[in-house]
Amino acid sequence: GAGVSQSPRYKVAKRGQDVALRCDPISGHVSLFWYQQALGQGPEFLTYFQNEAQLDKSGLPSDRFFAERPEGSVSTLKIQRTQQEDSAVYLCASSLDRVGSPLHFGNGTRLTVT
Amino acid sequence: KNEVEQSPQNLTAQEGEFITINCSYSVGISALHWLQQHPGGGIVSLFMLSSGKKKHGRLIATINIQEKHSSLHITASHPRDSAVYICAVRLNSDMRFGAGTRLTVKP
């Protein structure tokens, strides 16, 4: 595709439910990032993949958050036992390589936990 | 402490005015990005800078590595420039973002 694609665009979950958010990066992009953006705030780093390897997961807020990119392309961010504080926009971005390349962002998934 | 500070937080301008948004950071970086986010929309990368100055249309971005400071300028602002502008600094494996500057340009 032409850009980074995220799905679903919107997700409403009841507290305690598990959710899975999908990111389709631009074909051939090595680096993939997940970010969490709370209302009125700038994005905050969650995790980084280089191909299929998760090189940095220091931003994941708890062990309820899990991300994978098994074949080095599509990535899934899973949140188990969702809590209200998980409500945010989850953004995915990809770039050709680790540093020095522009980032391309998806439109995000807006998660609302009720 | 936020490693990336932007100012102002909110900015309202009249169409045609010259706009400046500032970004200061406190960490060593490999690059600095200026991003634009429209309401309900995704984020678009405007510039990536590691030194000097870049210009694209009515947008100009500058960076001073020694002072750890960058500015984004918009000349002849237009209502369609209304958006949140975010400064982000690239470290090694991650990025740190400013809280954004909400710009409203009135006709």
Side-chain angles (χ1 to χ4, degrees), chain B residues 51-94:
Chain B
S51 65
K53 176 179 174 179
K54 285 190 176 180
K55 184 175 189 294
H56 181 69
R58 295 181 294 106
L59 302 178
I60 303 167
T62 63
I63 187 168
N64 184 317
I65 297 292
Q66 286 73 31
E67 294 185 5
K68 291 186 164 65
H69 181 268
S70 175
S71 292
L72 175 69
H73 305 284
I74 305 175
T75 61
S77 58
H78 190 276
R80 64 174 174 266
D81 297 327
S82 298
V84 175
Y85 293 83
I86 302 171
C87 169
V89 296
R90 187 80 179 260
L91 306 181
N92 288 323
S93 64
D94 66 13

Side-chain angles (χ1 to χ4, degrees), chain B residues 5-77:
Chain B
E5 298 281 350
Q6 279 186 243
S7 63
Q9 256 188 319
N10 294 284
L11 181 56
T12 301
Q14 287 298 131
E15 183 173 357
E17 284 185 358
F18 181 82
I19 305 278
T20 296
I21 300 171
N22 294 301
C23 175
S24 296
Y25 53 93
S26 57
V27 293
I29 68 170
S30 57
L32 182 143
H33 297 253
W34 280 103
L35 310 169
Q36 182 192 54
Q37 186 172 35
H38 283 278
I43 294 178
V44 174
S45 180
L46 297 175
F47 294 103
M48 184 180 68
L49 295 162
S50 53
S51 65
K53 176 179 174 179
K54 285 190 176 180
K55 184 175 189 294
H56 181 69
R58 295 181 294 106
L59 302 178
I60 303 167
T62 63
I63 187 168
N64 184 317
I65 297 292
Q66 286 73 31
E67 294 185 5
K68 291 186 164 65
H69 181 268
S70 175
S71 292
L72 175 69
H73 305 284
I74 305 175
T75 61
S77 58

Side-chain angles (χ1 to χ4, degrees), chain A residues 20-43:
Chain A
L21 313 180
R22 178 185 168 108
C23 173
D24 270 287
I26 293 173
S27 178
H29 277 197
V30 168
S31 298
L32 186 144
F33 301 80
W34 281 100
Y35 300 95
Q36 181 190 57
Q37 186 175 23
L39 190 64
Q41 304 291 319

